[in-house]
Amino acid sequence: MKIHADLTERAVVDSATLNWIPSPMAGVERRMLERDGDEVARATSLVRYAPGSAFSAHTHDMGEEFLVLDGVFSDESGDFPKGMYVRNPPGSSHVPSSEPGAVILVKLRQMQPEDDTFVRVNTLDPAGWQAGRAGEHILPLFVRPDEEVVMLDWERGSHFDEQEFPGGAEYFVIEGSFEDADGRYDQGTWLRLPPGSRQAIRTAQGTRVWRKTGHLES
């Protein structure tokens, strides 16, 4: 299965327009944003857990990262409520579940083999946020030479000069909306820019986005 699998191409998906597709486990459904492979795949998806649902034990050979968008996601390491960002490195394993139900943005099989870092960040805790450019606040989530993951808050009416992304960029809009020369991206939109892209941003109403950069460079 290939969905936006060519990383050299720009891709944009309004996740609200996608159907929920059943997974192999009852009560767990997916909206597929990008995918290269079948059940074991390089993938970016929204995953919805019905209340009381669970997934069988499995190992992430090439890592997993997720952001909890709603509800509470759980595994043996703890309960992760809305706003939690989690990285489980290559070789990690768990038995995920959700008692009240949950929706997560999840990326699979997209880490470097030597990445051995577990990350847990509460993005709703104001303590870690810091000032960025004028009209911007930033929360670092994970940084290494070839990858940076952050949350960004852009204030209403903000605009930012053109920026180059040698290793590409990827966004998920948590709330609000923003625009660039190619379009407008509302809440729930996933956007991927290929390596070498340039982008100037503006936001009329303000927005909060999850952004990853650098990771698409071959």
Side-chain angles (χ1 to χ4, degrees):
M1 180 183 297
K2 289 187 179 292
I3 300 172
H4 300 302
D6 186 346
L7 303 183
T8 67
E9 294 186 353
R10 178 180 178 273
V12 57
V13 179
D14 178 358
S15 66
T17 66
L18 301 180
N19 294 324
W20 289 104
I21 299 172
S23 78
M25 303 302 294
V28 182
E29 301 172 303
R30 298 176 288 203
R31 284 175 167 169
M32 299 180 183
L33 305 176
E34 65 169 351
R35 196 171 188 89
D36 190 353
D38 295 318
E39 191 52 40
V40 177
R42 182 193 190 280
T44 302
S45 309
L46 295 183
V47 180
R48 181 170 69 179
Y49 284 76
S53 61
F55 214 90
S56 56
H58 56 274
T59 299
H60 294 291
D61 294 331
M62 296 177 65
E64 168 198 55
E65 67 179 313
F66 62 85
L67 176 68
V68 182
L69 302 176
D70 195 24
V72 179
F73 178 90
S74 303
D75 63 16
E76 306 94 307
S77 66
D79 298 323
F80 305 109
K82 179 179 178 179
M84 286 296 298
Y85 171 75
V86 174
R87 286 177 73 97
N88 295 318
S92 59
S93 61
H94 65 166
V95 183
S97 64
S98 180
E99 188 58 35
V103 178
I104 63 174
L105 170 69
V106 60
K107 297 181 69 65
L108 300 174
R109 302 181 67 83
Q110 298 180 44
M111 294 182 184
Q112 298 299 320
E114 68 275 13
D115 186 348
D116 59 359
T117 305
F118 286 87
V119 176
R120 277 93 172 101
V121 179
N122 179 4
T123 67
L124 301 184
D125 182 353
W129 288 83
Q130 52 196 250
R133 298 166 291 183
E136 176 184 74
H137 287 84
I138 183 169
L139 174 64
L141 300 175
F142 178 79
V143 179
R144 54 176 284 151
D146 58 351
E147 179 181 353
E148 180 181 71
V149 188
V150 299
M151 293 284 285
L152 296 164
D153 270 358
W154 292 327
E155 297 174 6
R156 181 190 302 267
S158 298
H159 56 87
F160 305 103
D161 292 339
E162 187 176 76
Q163 182 177 1
E164 184 175 5
F165 296 103
E170 187 176 347
Y171 296 85
F172 187 81
V173 183
I174 307 300
E175 58 186 50
S177 67
F178 74 94
E179 299 176 29
D180 63 15
D182 295 309
R184 170 174 164 154
Y185 313 104
D186 295 315
Q187 180 177 345
T189 298
W190 172 78
L191 168 67
R192 188 186 69 214
L193 304 178
S197 295
R198 304 183 69 91
Q199 183 187 45
I201 284 173
R202 60 190 180 274
T203 174
Q205 62 173 301
T207 188
R208 173 170 288 193
V209 301
W210 171 95
R211 186 183 75 185
K212 180 196 283 268
T213 57
H215 60 303
L216 300 175
E217 192 169 23
S218 57

